[in-house]
Amino acid sequence: MNETEVRHYEMDLLQSGIAEAVRGPMRLSFEIERNGSMPVEQELRRSKEKSHREWISIFQAIGHPAVIMDPGYRVIQANRAICRILGKSETELFGKHCYELFHDHRSGHPPAECPIRKMLISGMVETVEMEMELLGERFIVSVTPLLDDQGNLRKIIHIATDITYLKESEDEKKKLRNRLTQIQKMEAIGTLAGGIAHDFNNILMGLQGHISMFLHNMDPEHPYRVKLENMESYIRRGADLTKQLLGFARGGKYDVKPTNMNDLLGRSADLFGRTRKEISIYRSFSEDLWTVDVDQGQMDQVFLNLFVNASQAMPGGGHLDLQTENIVFSETDVPMVGVTKGRYVGISVTDDGVGMDKKTMDRIFEPFFTTKPKGMGSGLGLASAYGIVKNHGGGIHVYSEPEKGTTMKIYLPATEGQPLIGEKTKEEIFTGWETILVVDDEPINVSVMVEMLEMLHYRVLPAGSGQEAIAVYMEKRAEIDLVIMDMIMPGISGGRAFDILREINPDVAVILASGYSVEGEARMIINRGCRGFIQKPFHLQELSRKVREALDNRPLRAASDPEQTRTL
């Protein structure tokens, strides 16, 4: 073997990554041959065979699919990894074009992103990320040129590293980041919506209070009575809208009871079904469904919103499938469903309507977002459903494709309680004789509550702030039987004022009145000893009942005089 042949062989080994293991023996053999020693040819042959065996061993041990090709993309050698993946022997792969093995061979040429194409231009190592269609996975593919002494391309080393699991992990992280961004956006919008609802409820309070007083004293046959009742219905509709906003804003649950969701979902479906005869409703309810703690009125609202949206997706009629089931989520399920691990009741509402695309699904729970024509929808239905479910510690998700219908899935945490069925409260008007301190920073609210309470025969002391309320109470503590106080006020807030009043008198009776709901700060104040909560806007009957309950449940020292307590 002459020096040129030795250099060619050494270059092959060097560019294959193993030349260092054999360079020393080969260089020594060449020196011996050049100096005229006799056994050189045999020694060199043995060294070459040993090095070749080592190269084959290393090449076959590579854990990633690897092949050596000629400049025409044809396989010269293939390692065990690629043979195992393709289910073929090295002999079967010999002479095949790489794009026949890894890609759609019907094209008859390498794909546009082929790294060998780039390497033939650059003459350097090229690495790309690409799909190998016939393997069905995502790979990092690296190709290395092997050159001769004149710099001509002799062979190509092609190694592919499977990164499918890394891509899946990266995609999962991206989904989680998008979900977190969406949640943060929804919470920010929810805070804004809650503030708007609170202020709007204060406006409605003045209207509702005055109208309920007009109606209380008005003859049933009065010509204006119908008009005032219509106005009151409009106020109720406005209050329902603010409840939806507060629901979206996660503003709280109002009246939580252990509930069998089969019964509640079934009743809601029955009511809806009577109005949409063209829609067939199918039920698949779990017989041993776990109990959940929910505000039944709010969940009725959620179901109605889902039913209405489903019916609008099926203008010509269709099928509505309702399903309930018990589900246990583990730690691995938590990131996808957006709830903590534990026992849940799953509720599915599926229609076979027009469906929706991903762009619509991404915004479906945003307030005021609607795909309906102007004037046909407020865009609050699904937003409030989202807020209500989230405020119950649950999760809500949508699955849909265009022309393939939509499925809404709700998950609510299970409880150990026994189901209760809600009962309506009788709308009687209760009166009294006690002294009540009314505290609110909105003059219109103070005015209307004073008039309503005086109509109920109570003596009323008004206060326009937390500071003023404390001053009045310190002066007339012995006279005051009850305090009705707004929660959100500048200066000393309702919560802080309540704590100060409790320091003055641990037995003070206080009702919180707020445009927000009973959850959040209101719930914390109630847990500290507040006697009750009333949601603005409220009418005369509701105010009379709440006041009477708070007064009658005071300590014996301040019990009401039964002779002066009556109903109207």
Side-chain angles (χ1 to χ4, degrees), residues 253 255-259 261 264 292-297 299 392 412-413:
K253 300 159 283 186
D255 187 15
V256 176
K257 297 183 178 70
T259 302
M261 296 309 292
L264 190 59
V292 295
D293 285 337
V294 297
D295 182 309
Q296 296 180 2
M299 291 311 302
H392 281 78
L412 297 169

Side-chain angles (χ1 to χ4, degrees), residues 405-417:
T406 298
T407 295
M408 291 285 185
K409 285 185 174 289
I410 294 173
Y411 307 108
L412 297 169
T415 185
E416 299 295 339

Side-chain angles (χ1 to χ4, degrees), residues 419-451:
L420 298 174
I421 303 299
E423 297 180 358
K424 287 189 176 180
T425 304
K426 292 182 179 180
E427 292 298 335
E428 295 179 298
I429 293 182
F430 301 90
T431 62
W433 54 273
E434 295 90 344
T435 299
I436 300 174
L437 172 61
V438 172
V439 189
D440 201 300
D441 65 308
E442 293 286 344
I444 189 173
N445 288 343
V446 173
S447 173
V448 74
M449 281 193 281
V450 167
E451 289 188 51

Side-chain angles (χ1 to χ4, degrees), residues 59-305:
F59 180 69
Q60 292 296 338
I62 296 174
H64 303 294
V67 295
I68 297 177
M69 297 178 288
D70 63 21
Y73 298 87
R74 289 180 291 269
V75 174
I76 299 172
Q77 287 179 278
N79 74 344
R80 283 191 294 268
I82 188 63
C83 292
R84 183 179 65 254
I85 291 173
L86 294 176
K88 297 180 182 294
S89 67
E90 187 175 8
T91 303
E92 291 176 293
L93 299 181
F94 184 82
K96 294 287 179 60
H97 292 98
C98 60
Y99 49 82
E100 295 179 48
L101 301 176
F102 306 138
H103 306 287
D104 186 355
H105 65 277
R106 290 174 298 179
S107 64
H109 55 77
E113 67 271 30
C114 174
I116 299 178
R117 280 185 164 184
K118 298 179 180 180
M119 185 211 69
L120 291 175
I121 297 172
S122 69
M124 302 172 64
V125 175
E126 294 286 349
T127 302
V128 300
E129 179 185 326
M130 64 189 305
E131 192 85 25
M132 292 185 169
E133 295 90 342
L134 299 185
L135 297 183
E137 304 290 349
R138 195 78 181 171
F139 288 84
I140 292 288
V141 180
S142 180
V143 293
T144 304
L146 300 179
L147 309 176
D148 61 18
D149 284 344
Q150 285 73 43
N152 298 316
L153 180 65
R154 296 184 62 208
K155 297 176 183 178
I156 302 167
I157 298 178
H158 179 293
I159 300 178
T161 303
D162 186 357
I163 60 167
T164 304
Y165 73 99
L166 294 175
K167 292 296 291 183
E168 289 176 349
S169 176
E170 184 180 325
D171 291 342
E172 187 63 31
K173 288 179 181 177
K174 184 177 180 181
K175 288 179 183 178
L176 291 175
R177 283 196 299 268
N178 290 340
R179 184 183 293 276
L180 177 61
T181 300
Q182 181 72 1
I183 290 172
Q184 290 172 336
K185 181 173 72 171
M186 297 289 274
E187 288 181 346
I189 297 174
T191 300
L192 174 63
I196 293 172
H198 169 266
D199 291 346
F200 193 56
N201 274 340
N202 274 330
I203 296 171
L204 293 177
M205 180 64 242
L207 296 172
Q208 175 65 79
H210 285 297
I211 289 176
S212 64
M213 286 187 289
F214 274 127
L215 289 172
H216 176 63
N217 289 325
M218 186 171 286
D219 187 281
E221 304 300 323
H222 194 286
Y224 289 162
R225 186 174 185 89
V226 173
K227 291 182 173 61
L228 288 171
E229 288 175 344
N230 287 339
M231 291 172 65
E232 191 173 43
S233 70
Y234 298 147
I235 292 170
R236 283 196 297 270
R237 287 178 60 184
D240 288 341
L241 279 175
T242 61
K243 281 186 178 181
Q244 291 191 48
L245 279 171
L246 286 171
F248 167 74
R250 302 178 68 175
K253 300 159 283 186
Y254 296 86
D255 187 15
V256 176
K257 297 183 178 70
T259 302
N260 184 314
M261 296 309 292
N262 285 344
D263 295 339
L264 190 59
L265 181 61
R267 290 201 307 270
S268 296
D270 288 341
L271 290 172
F272 176 75
R274 296 190 191 111
T275 65
R276 295 300 301 268
K277 301 290 186 181
E278 71 277 17
I279 294 178
S280 300
I281 301 177
Y282 299 93
R283 310 175 194 208
S284 178
F285 292 172
S286 173
E287 293 183 1
D288 57 346
L289 195 67
W290 295 327
T291 301
V292 295
D293 285 337
V294 297
D295 182 309
Q296 296 180 2
Q298 285 194 347
M299 291 311 302
D300 265 331
Q301 178 184 321
V302 170
F303 296 145
L304 178 61
N305 287 332

